[in-house]
Structures are given as structure tokens and as C-alpha cells.
Amino acid sequence: MAETYRYWITFQTILTKEILRFSRIWVQTILPSVITTTLYFVIFGRLIGERIGEMDGVAYLEFIVPGLALMSVITNAYSNVVSSFYSSKFSRYIEELLVSPAPNWVILAGYVAGGAARGMVVGVAVMVVAMLFTDIEVHSYGVTLLVFLMTAVLFALGGFINAVYANSFDDISIIPTFVLTPLTYLGGVFYSIELLPEFWQGVSMANPVLYMVNAFRYGLLGISDIPLGVAFAMIAAFIVALAAYSLHLLRRGIGIKN
Amino acid sequence: MLALDVQQLTKTYKGGFQALKGIDLTVEEGDFFALLGPNGAGKSTFIGILSSLVNKSSGRVSVFGHDLDRDPERVKSCIGLVPQEFNFNLFLPVFEVVLNQAGYYGIPRREAKVRAERYLRQLDLWDRRDTEMRRLSGGLKRRLMIARALVHQPRLLILDEPTAGVDIEIRRSMWSFLRELNAEGTTIILTTHYLEEAESLCRNIAIIQHGELVERSTMGALLGKLHTETFVLNLKGQVSELPELGGFVLQHLDDCTLEVEMNRDHTINGLFEALSRNGIEVISLRNKQNRLERLFLDMVERRPADEGV
Ligand SMILES: Nc1ncnc2c1ncn2[C@@H]1O[C@H](COP(=O)(O)OP(=O)(O)OP(=O)(O)O)[C@@H](O)[C@H]1O
Ligand SMILES: [Mg+2]
């Protein structure tokens, strides 16, 4: 009991510290995604979208809203954890946590919650902008929020693993550039995978982003390329796998202990 | 009760360098303990293992009866660490650094604020509580590390060169602070390269070199091993001819300054009498070297380096 309370305080401390961190520098952390997605809406949605017409039975602009919102959740959740945790390694103040009796899972939960918080804040901001451009009526708030949250958690975990392995500030941009961006662009943000040849449809199934985008699109618009249950099961499976791996890294002290 | 019980502790770093080669060491509860050794001896490695920053290769560590492998959380709760290198988030204000540390130990916010204020006041940092870390001078950062290490009220405080680069005034205020803390019951382990600091603060002492324990005794017993002491005398007037004094070896440093090496079975009274008889008047006298420094150098020199450091 006393122990649970102690863990709760530790978790709160890490989470508050993380939220303060990204709020203090909101011009670097919150604003860029909002500006970028606004540009996407204007260019792809309005200007080019009008020529494309409909996709999966909805206007192109509406089709890309879920993907764009999710893209900003992904990048923000990821980069929050990767830069915060890497900085704490680089300047060695991770030692403040390592000498304390905080168990690894509490440390992980604190950082992941911090990243997820930033992902959610930016995601909501982007959705607000989207509402200005479209008149989407949300199909299911429950599904929408759940996908938001699970996506944020999954990529916050990804950011954590990246930070553990990173040995320089360059290392923290390699994964976002070479893995994250391709995954999101190929995850059906801008197109329905039904447009792809069968072989590439199969390949796309290995991409976790595909499940999120589709589940999210279902939450907002009520349409999806993938059955909802399958999408949630896949996201949950990815979360469990990455969390287990992160805990393994922390237990071994990889990248943080000699 | 033993505050610290370490058995056969070894550490081999990645790349194969063996920094600790089987250390056995105990420290009693309530002790003020000096851990000395030349650069690269393995002091920080040893301390890193105790405080869970470095993984040991083999051996056993127990802190107030809690085993480091079986009950790491208990061990960590007992220890407060002041590390050798600064490890701060430079963009946080002083107060928040201490509050966060308290939070990591699971101390509720309200209690954390009370304690943070108490220790920041005691270490003369309260006026700087809103200053960002990167604007603090080195000496203030060192003091803040002490405040941060105390916020969970550890039973064992480990300080790795807490006074490195600290001016004499702050150093003395740190000394009296640590003495008081120890008097109130906190066990303290201290490493330092200022041997007069160890001599004046610590009751027991261990010296490690090349990852091995080479000395473990009380400060008194260790200083008792010193067979000769050397003093420097400032004289009134010049002395050109040095008299022969039995039991004392005299040497000119310049016309008005003498160096005297004396055996432990002679006294300073005897020295002064002999000098007076020879018409030599002394204005002042000082130890040529700190006594512990002498011993330390003797001990470290007797053991040639077995590998480059
Ligand atoms: N991460 C590391 N990897 C490899 N070798 C290391 C590492 N850290 C320390 N060492 C080596 O281990 C030895 C002991 O280092 P340690 O820092 O424990 O010495 P120390 O007694 O604290 O020295 P100082 O008085 O200079 O602080 C040194 O030879 C050092 O080079
Ligand atoms: Mg050291």
C-alpha cells in the first residue's frame, strides 16, 4: 500500500516534469506540427484534393484528416521521449532516477505518459484545425480517443528505445527520418490501400501505422480498410512487445549503466 | 550495526579493464569514514556500485543489512549520493531540482517542499532557489548536490570529492555542516584528495590503489605509524653555522629558515631547549607536510604501478 503510493508519487513527478518541459518550449514542441498540418490541409486537401475527388466514398480532405492528425501524434509522442530521455542520459541527470528506489516500470511509465501527453495535446490541436477546414461529424468519440491514446503510447515507447540506444544527438533523428516517416506515409495516410496492387497490400499489413490510421479513420468517419477488432489487437500487441523490450533494456542498464 | 558490508567486490569494465580486484570493506553505523586513493584507484567505481550507477562484476554488497541484489530498493532508500561529476538538468531552477529528487524517492509534494527548504537554507542556497542551474557557480552546485542527496534523509551519505574546486570558506562551512550531520547520526563515507580534510573529519580510513584495498585502520592508528615528522622553523636573525643536535636532523632552507626532522620519541620541548642552548630563537613553526599526506605518499610510493593509469 505504502509502496504503491510511493510509486504513484514518483510517476507523477516524472510526468509533471515532462509536461512542464514541453510546455515551457511550446514554440518548438507544439506549434510546428500545427503549422505543418495546416499546410497539408490547405495544399493537399483544398488545392489538390478538389481534383482527386472522393476516396472510399468521402471527400479527399476528410479522408486524409485522420492520417494527418495521427501523424502528428506519432511524431510528437516519439520525439518527446527520445529527446527528453536522451538529454537526461547525455547530461547524466538520469542518475537522479537511477539512484532512487523508483522501479524500472515506473520510470518507463512516467516517460511514456509524458510523451503520450504531448502527442495527445498536439493531436487535439490538429483536430481543432481540421474542424475549421471540414465539417466532419465524429462517428465514435470512444474509438477516436482510444486510438489516439494507444498510438501515442506505442510511439512514446519507440522513442524510449531509440533514446536508450542513441549515442549522439544525430542518433535521435535517424529513426524518425528513415523509419517513422516512411511508415506513416506508407501507412495509408494519403490513400486507401485498396488502390495498391495485391502484393503491396500484403506488405502494408506489416506496418503498424496502417492499423492505427484505419482504426482512427473508423472512429472519425465510420470507414476502414481493416476490421476494427483486428486493428486494436495489432496495436495492443505492438505496445506489449515494445514495453517488454524497453523494460528488458532498463533491467540490463543498456546505454545508461556501466 | 554495519552501515556497509562489502565482500570480494570486483568490477571489470567493458573492454576488460579491471577497476576493482576483490575489495572487502566494512563501515560501522555512525562512522565518518575516509576512502582515499590516487586518481584512477577505483574510488568512484566503488561508490558507483554502492549507489546502483555501475553494475558490479562479482561480490556482495549489503547496506544496513539489506542485500543489494535481493533488495535494491531498500538499499537505494538508505543511501544519499553526492557524485564526483555534476549531473544536473541545467535548465531547471534550484528548488525544482531538489523537489524532483524528493519525488523520485516517493516523498509527497508538501513534505518535499518543507524538506527542500530546510536543506537549501542549511546550505545557504535558499536565496538562489529560483536560479536556473546553469547560472550557478561550481561551489554552489557542489552544495546543491549535498542538499539534493539529503532530501530523502538517508542513513548513509556518500560524498565523492564534495569539496573539489570549492573555495576555502565554503569548504569550511561544508565541513562543519557534515560534522553536525554525522553527530546527529548519519553515517558518512567521504573521498577527497585534500588529505587535511580527511584527517580533520574522519575517524576511520581505507586506502585503495589499483583496485585493491591497501590500508584499513583508524585515523589515529594510521597517523601513529608515522615515525618521523618534519617541521619548518622561521628564525629570528640569521644562522650561518648549524649546530649538531642529537635526535634532530637540521637543514638550511635559507639563512632564516630551518627544516627539522625529528624522531617520534623526541618532543618539541626538547627541540626548543636544544635550539635555545645554541642561541637560536624561533619566531614560528609549521608542519612541512600534512601528516596524512606523508603517510599516503609513502604508502602509495611503496607500491609501484602495476599498470599505467
Ligand atoms: N566507464 C569506464 N570504462 C572503462 N574504464 C573505466 C570507466 N570508468 C572508469 N574506468 C577506469 O577505472 C579506473 C578507476 O576509475 P575511478 O573513476 O573509479 O577512479 P577514482 O579512484 O575515482 O579516480 P579519481 O580520483 O580520479 O576520481 C580508472 O583507471 C578508469 O580509467
Ligand atoms: Mg573518482
Side-chain angles (χ1 to χ4, degrees):
Chain A
M1 190 48 221
E3 209 157 65
T4 319
Y5 182 59
R6 184 157 63 75
Y7 295 163
W8 172 242
I9 303 269
T10 307
F11 172 77
Q12 265 184 335
T13 307
I14 302 174
L15 176 58
T16 314
K17 168 184 78 105
E18 288 300 291
I19 292 177
L20 281 177
R21 191 190 79 93
F22 72 71
S23 325
R24 273 182 192 137
I25 47 172
W26 65 277
V27 176
Q28 296 166 46
T29 52
I30 313 279
L31 202 56
S33 286
V34 176
I35 293 178
T36 322
T37 39
T38 308
L39 289 173
Y40 272 114
F41 287 141
V42 173
I43 295 167
F44 289 103
R46 278 277 153 81
L47 304 179
I48 299 177
E50 313 234 304
R51 308 227 164 166
I52 295 177
E54 292 199 339
M55 191 160 298
D56 276 2
V58 294
Y60 187 64
L61 177 58
E62 289 182 12
F63 182 84
I64 66 170
V65 164
L68 288 177
L70 221 50
M71 227 162 83
S72 35
V73 173
I74 289 173
T75 26
N76 281 282
Y78 192 92
S79 55
N80 198 69
V81 183
V82 79
S83 55
S84 175
F85 196 77
Y86 179 70
S87 302
S88 79
K89 254 175 53 169
F90 181 78
S91 306
R92 303 182 60 162
Y93 55 89
I94 184 65
E95 293 178 359
E96 295 177 335
L97 266 167
L98 297 180
V99 299
S100 83
N104 291 333
W105 63 270
V106 175
I107 297 178
L108 182 66
Y111 273 94
V112 167
R118 173 163 148 202
M120 301 286 279
V121 168
V122 175
V124 168
V126 167
M127 283 308 296
V128 169
V129 173
M131 296 300 181
L132 301 177
F133 282 87
T134 60
D135 34 33
I136 292 176
E137 283 189 17
V138 177
H139 181 75
S140 157
Y141 280 100
V143 172
T144 307
L145 275 177
L146 192 60
V147 179
F148 244 30
L149 185 64
M150 289 175 84
T151 306
V153 168
L154 176 54
F155 283 91
L157 284 165
F160 183 84
I161 294 171
N162 188 172
V164 166
Y165 282 111
N167 284 317
S168 71
F169 277 101
D170 291 335
D171 289 349
I172 70 179
S173 60
I174 287 178
I175 302 285
T177 313
F178 293 102
V179 181
L180 235 44
T181 311
L183 277 186
T184 39
Y185 277 71
L186 298 174
V189 172
F190 296 109
Y191 55 84
S192 163
I193 58 162
E194 281 172 11
L195 299 182
L196 295 176
E198 214 159 290
F199 173 76
W200 290 107
Q201 282 190 30
V203 171
S204 297
M205 292 296 175
N207 180 354
V209 179
L210 181 76
Y211 300 95
M212 298 169 200
V213 171
N214 275 284
F216 195 54
R217 195 170 280 139
Y218 177 85
L220 279 183
L221 309 173
I223 54 167
S224 173
D225 292 347
I226 313 258
L228 196 61
V230 175
F232 273 118
M234 288 305 286
I235 305 172
F238 277 112
I239 289 180
V240 171
L242 290 200
Y245 190 60
S246 303
L247 285 174
H248 162 77
L249 292 176
L250 272 174
R251 199 164 36 241
R252 296 280 309 279
I254 292 176
I256 50 178
K257 279 194 200 183
N258 287 309
Chain B
M1 170 138 209
L2 287 179
L4 180 66
D5 185 358
V6 171
Q7 282 169 24
Q8 279 305 305
L9 188 65
T10 71
K11 171 67 189 178
T12 307
Y13 279 109
K14 261 190 245 117
F17 181 78
Q18 198 177 12
L20 297 178
K21 301 170 181 162
I23 302 258
D24 292 300
L25 185 67
T26 58
V27 175
E28 284 286 339
E29 178 168 19
D31 204 350
F32 206 137
F33 192 92
L35 181 66
L36 306 181
N39 286 133
K43 303 179 295 296
S44 298
T45 302
F46 183 76
I47 288 173
I49 292 171
L50 304 187
S51 48
S52 300
L53 293 177
V54 175
N55 289 328
K56 63 183 163 66
S57 302
S58 71
R60 261 201 52 222
V61 173
S62 111
V63 177
F64 291 104
H66 307 298
D67 187 86
L68 180 63
D69 295 319
R70 281 204 307 270
D71 208 351
E73 286 185 31
R74 280 258 167 69
V75 170
K76 289 173 175 184
S77 309
C78 290
I79 295 179
L81 173 70
V82 176
Q84 179 173 4
E85 315 268 355
F86 296 132
N87 57 350
F88 290 115
N89 181 346
L90 294 177
F91 297 97
L92 287 188
V94 166
F95 197 41
E96 229 171 286
V97 167
V98 185
L99 287 181
N100 280 347
Q101 185 72 86
Y104 299 157
Y105 281 89
I107 299 163
R109 195 78 171 173
R110 189 183 304 175
E111 172 69 12
K113 282 186 174 162
V114 175
R115 291 196 199 175
E117 175 170 351
R118 182 190 317 149
Y119 291 113
L120 288 178
R121 281 189 191 283
Q122 284 181 9
L123 287 148
D124 271 335
L125 285 161
W126 183 242
D127 294 340
R128 311 298 293 269
R129 62 187 174 280
D130 296 322
T131 310
E132 269 187 21
M133 287 307 306
R134 62 199 161 115
R135 300 191 203 290
L136 284 192
S137 74
L140 294 184
K141 284 195 195 117
R142 291 256 170 234
R143 283 195 299 197
L144 181 59
M145 291 214 278
I146 299 182
R148 184 181 64 179
L150 289 173
V151 75
H152 63 291
Q153 301 178 327
R155 297 167 75 186
L156 170 62
L157 180 65
I158 304 178
L159 305 116
D160 197 349
E161 299 190 32
T163 54
V166 168
D167 75 34
I168 187 70
E169 196 188 334
I170 298 187
R171 193 179 313 164
R172 287 193 190 271
S173 73
M174 275 189 187
W175 288 1
S176 61
F177 177 80
L178 293 175
R179 269 200 199 97
E180 225 166 274
L181 197 70
N182 177 246
E184 286 162 7
T186 307
T187 310
I188 298 182
I189 297 177
L190 171 88
T191 82
T192 178
H193 290 294
Y194 302 110
L195 298 183
E196 76 276 14
E197 177 168 299
E199 188 179 336
S200 94
L201 289 174
C202 301
R203 288 188 288 281
N204 288 291
I205 183 172
I207 299 179
I208 56 176
Q209 191 182 11
H210 305 304
E212 286 174 284
L213 197 70
V214 297
E215 182 65 50
R216 165 76 174 89
S217 76
T218 67
M219 191 65 77
L222 186 64
L223 292 173
K225 284 190 187 172
L226 209 55
H227 296 301
T228 63
E229 277 199 72
T230 310
F231 296 100
V232 176
L233 310 179
N234 287 317
L235 308 180
K236 187 172 182 186
Q238 298 191 349
V239 175
S240 40
E241 284 285 297
L242 284 184
E244 282 287 330
L245 306 179
F248 304 101
V249 184
L250 300 186
Q251 212 184 327
H252 260 308
L253 290 184
D254 60 49
D255 282 350
C256 298
T257 320
L258 282 187
E259 195 179 292
V260 182
E261 193 181 320
M262 60 180 261
N263 215 296
R264 279 220 141 211
D265 18 280
H266 288 78
T267 63
I268 293 191
N269 296 37
L271 171 65
F272 283 156
E273 276 168 27
L275 288 171
S276 301
R277 276 201 301 278
N278 288 278
I280 299 175
E281 288 185 88
V282 181
I283 300 173
S284 64
L285 138 156
R286 64 180 166 85
N287 266 94
K288 184 182 180 197
Q289 228 173 8
N290 170 274
R291 294 178 301 165
L292 185 55
E293 211 162 276
R294 263 289 292 283
L295 269 172
F296 182 81
L297 288 175
D298 280 356
M299 230 170 268
V300 169
E301 274 162 12
R302 262 193 282 117
R303 304 173 51 90
D306 35 308
E307 68 234 295
V309 175

